[in-house]
Amino acid sequence: FLSLVAEFCCGFFVILILGNFWFLAVLYLLWLYLDWGTPCAGGRRSQWVRSWTVWKYFREYFPIHLIKTSELNPNHNYLLGFHPHGVLVAGAFGNFCTDPPFKNLFPGLTPYLHIMPIWFGCPFFREYIMSAGMVSASKESVSHVLNNEGGGHASVIVIGGAEESLNAHPGSLTLNILKRKGFIKMALKHGAHLVPVFSFGENELFKQVANPKGSWLRNVQEKLQKIMGFALPLFHARGVFQYSFGLIPYRQPIHTVVGSPIPVKKNLNPTTEEIDQLHALYLQKLKKLFEEHKSKYGIPAHKSLIFE
């Protein structure tokens, strides 16, 4: 969805350049230069955009639900680790980039969804995603959000990143997390409480072409991901008037469960051992969250999370 909107915005920009409105394109490029750092400085959210009626229908299509398991004191800042990435990341967008789901359940907290910096280089599209509350996933951006002295900020990071989307097959419970410890270090440096979030149903929205590790397709996808910064899963779902093939996601319920916070004391220079200890605790809490709720959302009792 984001890719399609981005392509439309880029196409519109090209039309301005090639048409009789090239001066508008030049003015926008000047604006882009002056505004380049905004995605790393909290973005520029718009309550009007976040409250568009279309988002209500978007959430109801699947439908998307946000489940609260514990209070989050707005006097603190939080780092929410979102799992899994899936293909669309629908749960993250529907719950943290549109109102009122998060605002109603966690009053006093402002969520910021961190996404790949490359998206903010797309003309016009960057304005749209910032208005929805998305900001860069750079260290500078995360630090800006978590450095709020009065608390009340929640950084939402899709921990598995683009690489994890290649595992987004129906029924898959594999998370790319064992080597991802940067978010732990950021939480320690800012004293931000860690909150595991698991989105049940995220991997059920599309069917992906078989790409087991070691296959030629997976090797190509991984190489392209390293070069471009984002993955290219080959997926399909349903069409507008038929259910056999298309790019519209299946209507599968998504239940995004927000776990209990893990208190974190501020540590400007955490050691490797301290990072590893907190990372291990986070994995333990994430697994516990999954095990406590999996039976409610159709996960067989014998299935568990796989950490890679």
Side-chain angles (χ1 to χ4, degrees):
F1 175 72
L2 286 179
S3 298
L4 291 175
V5 178
E7 288 174 9
F8 173 81
C9 291
C10 289
F12 179 69
F13 185 71
V14 171
I15 290 174
L16 288 181
I17 295 176
L18 298 179
N20 295 323
F21 302 98
W22 59 266
F23 62 94
L24 292 178
V26 172
L27 288 176
Y28 183 79
L29 286 175
L30 176 61
W31 162 255
L32 192 62
Y33 173 77
L34 297 173
D35 194 58
W36 190 255
T38 300
C40 294
R44 187 170 45 248
R45 70 178 54 224
S46 165
Q47 191 59 44
W48 174 66
V49 172
R50 290 173 60 88
S51 301
W52 280 351
T53 303
V54 67
W55 304 136
K56 174 177 178 290
Y57 294 116
F58 173 80
R59 294 192 301 268
E60 291 178 350
Y61 171 79
F62 298 97
I64 296 174
H65 304 281
L66 185 64
I67 292 87
K68 174 181 178 179
T69 64
S70 178
E71 294 291 338
L72 297 183
N73 189 333
N75 293 325
H76 297 295
N77 292 317
Y78 298 89
L79 195 159
L80 279 62
F82 184 92
H83 312 271
H85 184 287
V87 171
L88 189 62
V89 205
F93 179 82
N95 288 310
F96 303 117
C97 295
T98 72
D99 286 330
F102 190 85
K103 182 170 66 174
N104 285 351
L105 288 180
F106 302 100
L109 282 181
T110 302
Y112 295 83
L113 179 61
H114 296 270
I115 64 175
M116 290 184 298
I118 190 174
W119 292 115
F120 296 98
C122 181
F124 301 115
F125 180 67
R126 68 189 297 273
E127 319 302 335
Y128 158 66
I129 56 180
M130 278 197 289
S131 67
M134 294 183 230
V135 292
S136 172
S138 67
K139 293 180 180 179
E140 178 188 356
S141 177
V142 177
S143 291
H144 181 89
V145 173
L146 298 181
N147 205 32
N148 191 42
E149 292 185 3
H153 281 188
S155 279
V156 183
I157 302 178
V158 184
I159 305 299
E163 182 182 356
E164 194 173 84
S165 67
L166 299 179
N167 290 327
H169 296 271
S172 174
L173 296 173
T174 301
L175 304 181
N176 290 62
I177 192 172
L178 291 182
K179 296 181 180 180
R180 296 178 181 264
K181 300 179 182 180
F183 73 103
I184 298 292
K185 190 174 182 179
M186 293 300 292
L188 282 166
K189 282 191 171 183
H190 296 281
H193 295 353
L194 280 167
V195 182
V197 178
F198 195 87
S199 195
F200 292 90
E202 199 74 45
N203 284 339
E204 316 305 315
L205 306 185
F206 296 92
K207 292 180 180 178
Q208 191 173 165
V209 175
N211 60 342
K213 287 195 173 183
S215 64
W216 69 269
L217 175 57
R218 185 61 167 258
N219 290 335
V220 170
Q221 289 175 320
E222 290 176 347
K223 288 179 180 179
L224 289 175
Q225 191 265 324
K226 291 179 180 178
I227 295 172
M228 300 184 297
F230 56 90
L232 293 173
L234 299 180
F235 60 88
H236 67 88
R238 53 163 291 185
V240 178
F241 301 111
Q242 45 79 26
Y243 295 87
S244 58
F245 188 82
L247 295 179
I248 298 176
Y250 294 115
R251 298 192 69 177
Q252 296 289 340
I254 298 172
H255 295 87
T256 304
V257 184
V258 180
S260 300
I262 303 170
V264 178
K265 291 184 179 181
K266 191 172 184 177
N267 183 348
L268 294 176
N269 296 293
T271 64
T272 301
E273 290 74 21
E274 289 170 330
I275 293 173
D276 289 343
Q277 287 177 2
L278 185 55
H279 186 261
L281 177 60
Y282 179 85
L283 294 182
Q284 177 186 330
K285 295 295 184 180
L286 174 60
K287 187 173 184 179
K288 181 181 178 182
L289 178 70
F290 174 81
E291 293 295 332
E292 288 179 347
H293 293 85
K294 67 180 184 180
S295 62
K296 303 175 187 176
Y297 307 119
I299 306 295
H302 68 278
K303 285 201 169 186
S304 297
L305 292 179
I306 299 172
F307 297 143
E308 290 187 345

